[in-house]
Amino acid sequence: MSAYLNDLNEMQREAVVHKDGPLLILAGAGAGKTRTIAYRILHLVAEGVPSESILAITFTNKAARELKERVSLLLKEHLSTSQKRGGEPTICTFHSLGVQMIKRYAGSLGLTRWFTILDRDESLAIIKRAIKKAGLDPKDEEPKSHLAIISREKARLHSWEDFAKDANGYQEELATRIWADYEKEKQKSGALDFDDLIVRPVSLLQSNVGAKRYYEELYPYLHIDEYQDTNTAQFEFARLLSGKNRNICVVGDGDQSVYGWREADYRNILNFETHYEGARTVLLEENYRSTQNILCAANSIIAQNTLRKEKNLFTKGVEGEKIVLYGALDGVSEARYVAKTCERLLETGVLASEIAVLYRANFLSRSFEEAFLSLGIPYHIVGTAFYERKEVKDTLAYIRASVNKDDMVSFARIVNTPRRGIGSATLDAVLAGREEGLSSGAREKLYTVRRILAQIREQADRISPSALVRITLKVSGLEKMLSENIEDEERLENARELATLASRYDSMPIPEGLERYLSDTALLSDQDSLTDAKDGVRLMTVHASKGLEFGHVFSVGLEEGLFPHARRDARDEQEALEEERRLFYVAVTRAKERLTISYAMSRMVYGTPRIGFPSQFLDDIPEEVVAREGNATGDGARLSTDTHYTKEDDDDIEWNVLKSLKH
C-alpha cells in the first residue's frame, strides 16, 4: 500500500483507491471531501493515469483554486517527475470549462473567441430595452422577473422556442417575446449570459459527435464537486462528459443542497445509483471541523428531514462549549449583543477573520454593521464589490468593446463616459441600426469613441494585459476624468488596481492572457472577495458561507418567517421547508469551536415593526447542548414542532400570526 494512503481514514481510503466505474462519495460537512478528491487524483496519477486525463469540476473559483493547490502539492510531494506523466489535471468551475469549450468551437457556434460574458446588470439592461421595444414600461414589467424566468428555463435546458410552445395567457406570451428579443440582442452583440456557458456546451456535446468524442478521450476520469447543487443542465453536462468511460466520481452532501431557487435538484445526488448503474457509494461521516456539541445539534436538526440519505456526523475531538441561544428584545439589541460578544473575543486574541455573522436575508446586515461601527469593530461584507464598482466596470467595458466590435452592451456603457455629449436618442439610433440618420455632429462624436476603441484594439495584440489596462485608462479619458476631482481619488485607485490584477496574466502569450483575464473577471463569485479581504468579522448570508468555516459563528435572525424564510415561490411546501432546514444545517456546521444562535422578539422589517417568534428549527436542537442567554428562556420561547409560518402573497408582505406556542 502506498505510504500516502496512511494519511486517510478508512472510508476516505476506500473512495481514493476506487479507480474505474461510477463512484458516489457522500461527504458530510467537515468530513474532508476536498482532501479525499485531492488524494484520489494523486492516486490515479500514481496508478498510471496521465495527469492531463483527469478533470475535476467545482462550483466556485475558490474551491477550484484550493483543490488545485492541494493536488499540486501532493503530486510534488509523493510522485517523481516520471510518474506524473505529462501536464497537470484540469481543475475548474462548470462555467470556466464552458468558456473553454465555447472558445474552442466558437466558429461553429456563431461566435468569436472574444465573445462577451454578460453580468446580471448587463442582462437586465438588454431586457429593459426589450420591454420598451414591446411598448411597455420596465417599471411595470419587472425586468428581474423576466430574467428569472429565462434563467430558470435555461437551467431546465429549455429554449425560448420550447417555452413558447407551452406559453399560456398574456404574461407567458409576453415573457416569450421578451426572451426572444433578449436572445436576438445577445446574438447581435456576440454575447452570452452565465446560463449560456452551460447550455451551449451541453448543446454542443449533444449535437457534435466529434466534440463529444474529443472530450471523452481528453478527460476519461471525471470528478464533480458539490454534486447536490447541480441543476438539470449541469447534470446533463456531467453525464455527457462521462460518456462511454463512465469513470465519474461525484462528491457531495444532499443535506447541504440549498440552491433550489437556482433550480439545483437534490434528487440528482439521491438518485445517482439509479442514473449510473453499478455505482459504488462511500459515506464520509467523520468530521474534522466541529466539536461534539455542534455536531450533536447538526445531526438532530437534519434528522427531521425525510428527503435525504441517512448519515450521522461524528468526531474524535472535544465535546466543546454548549451552543449559546440568545433571545433579544429587538433587532437592535440582538446586533448589540453580537457586536459586544465579538469585541470580547477580539480582546482575548481571536482573529476577526475567524468570526462570522450569518443571516438568511441580506437586509439583516445593516443593524449588525451599525453595531460594529459603533464599537469600532472591523468587518467585511462578502461580495464581489471591487468588480461591481462603476469605474472598474467602465474600464473593462472599454476593453471588451474594443476586442469585440459587436459588443453593443459594453459600447452603450462607455459611449458617453466620460461625457461627450452623446445622448440617449443617439445611442438608441445606434442600437437600432439607424445611425445614418443622425446629424453630422452626432456621427463625429461616435467616430471619436470608435477611434479610441480602435486604438485599444490595436494594442491588445501587442502588449500585456496590465499594460493594456494602463493604456485604456489614458486613451479613454477615464484617468483624466477621475483625476479632476479629489473626491474621485479612491475611484481612480480602484481603476488603476485593475492593472495590478491584470499583471497576473502577463506571463501568458499575447493575446491569450487578455482573453483569460476578461473571462476570469466575468466569472467571479461572492466568495472570491474573501481572498484579498482585509481583516474583519465576516458578515454574509448563509448561502455565501457554504464551503467556509470559522472558529466562532453567529447564526442570527432565527425567527419564523425569516429563518425558515416564508418563500412565495415554493411549489412544494415540504420541499421548501426541508431546504430551509438544510440551510440552517449549513449555518450550524460552519462553526469549529463556538456557535451562537440568536433571535429577536421584535424587529423592523421593510420599515415596519414585526413581532418575532422563535424559529421552529430551535426545537430540533437537543436541550442538553444548549446554554440560554438573554430572553431565551426554556419556558414559552420554543415553538411546537407542528407550527409553521407563511407570508400572504401580497405586495406589503403581511405576515400571518403564529397560532400556538408551547408552554
Side-chain angles (χ1 to χ4, degrees), residues 331-595:
V332 174
S333 300
E334 179 192 33
R336 189 182 302 120
Y337 167 81
V338 170
K340 290 292 289 184
T341 306
C342 289
E343 185 178 51
R344 288 195 294 271
L345 288 171
L346 295 173
E347 288 170 352
T348 64
V350 173
L351 294 175
S353 57
E354 270 296 305
I355 306 171
V357 179
L358 311 181
Y359 35 81
R360 176 63 180 85
N362 270 307
F363 78 86
L364 288 174
S365 70
R366 180 165 181 175
S367 60
F368 293 94
E369 288 186 71
E370 291 173 350
F372 285 137
L373 285 170
S374 69
L375 294 178
I377 297 173
Y379 67 90
H380 173 75
I381 296 181
V382 174
T384 52
F386 179 79
Y387 283 98
E388 289 172 356
R389 295 177 187 273
K390 183 181 186 303
E391 59 274 17
V392 171
K393 294 180 81 168
D394 288 344
T395 307
L396 290 172
Y398 265 102
I399 297 174
R400 285 165 47 175
S402 71
V403 296
N404 178 3
K405 61 181 177 58
D406 295 324
D407 184 0
M408 298 310 293
V409 177
S410 296
F411 183 83
R413 181 179 185 91
I414 56 88
V415 69
N416 200 41
T417 304
R419 293 188 182 280
R420 301 184 176 94
I422 298 175
S424 58
T426 299
L427 179 59
D428 287 344
V430 174
L431 296 176
R434 293 183 279 102
E435 194 172 330
E436 68 282 354
L438 294 171
S439 67
S440 58
R443 290 199 302 273
E444 179 61 31
K445 291 171 184 175
L446 290 170
Y447 173 74
T448 298
V449 177
R450 292 195 172 107
R451 190 172 64 234
I452 291 169
L453 294 176
Q455 286 179 269
I456 298 171
R457 179 69 183 89
E458 185 179 353
Q459 294 300 319
D461 290 329
R462 298 177 177 178
I463 60 178
S464 67
S466 63
L468 187 68
V469 170
R470 290 191 290 271
I471 288 287
T472 299
L473 286 172
K474 282 185 169 55
V475 301
S476 66
L478 289 174
E479 190 170 65
K480 182 175 183 294
M481 178 187 76
L482 295 173
S483 300
E484 290 173 347
N485 192 333
I486 193 167
E487 293 179 0
D488 288 331
E489 186 176 346
E490 184 179 348
R491 295 180 61 205
L492 178 58
E493 289 175 359
N494 289 333
R496 285 173 172 166
E497 180 63 15
L498 270 177
T500 303
L501 297 170
S503 66
R504 300 173 185 173
Y505 300 79
D506 284 355
S507 61
M508 299 178 69
I510 296 172
E512 182 185 335
L514 181 62
E515 274 188 43
R516 282 286 302 276
Y517 176 57
L518 293 177
S519 297
D520 288 354
T521 55
L523 297 177
L524 289 173
S525 68
D526 50 10
Q527 287 189 358
D528 291 307
S529 67
L530 283 172
T531 306
D532 302 312
K534 296 177 182 177
D535 188 42
V537 175
R538 277 25 180 175
L539 272 62
M540 67 186 82
T541 64
V542 183
H543 281 101
S545 76
K546 194 163 172 290
L548 304 177
E549 59 181 36
F550 304 92
H552 303 264
V553 168
F554 295 84
S555 182
V556 302
L558 262 291
E559 296 136 42
E560 287 293 306
L562 282 182
F563 205 170
H565 193 265
R567 291 166 58 176
R568 297 184 187 184
D569 60 343
R571 288 168 295 190
D572 183 291
E573 191 172 331
Q574 182 195 2
E575 286 196 8
L577 182 61
E578 293 209 0
E579 179 161 322
E580 289 293 307
R581 187 177 282 111
R582 291 194 294 268
L583 190 59
F584 185 42
Y585 173 81
V586 167
V588 168
T589 54
R590 298 312 93 198
K592 295 189 287 187
E593 302 167 27
R594 191 174 192 271
L595 172 64

Side-chain angles (χ1 to χ4, degrees), residues 316-333:
K316 295 174 182 175
V318 299
E319 180 180 288
E321 297 182 36
K322 287 192 173 184
I323 295 164
V324 174
L325 177 59
Y326 182 80
L329 289 174
D330 55 35
V332 174
S333 300

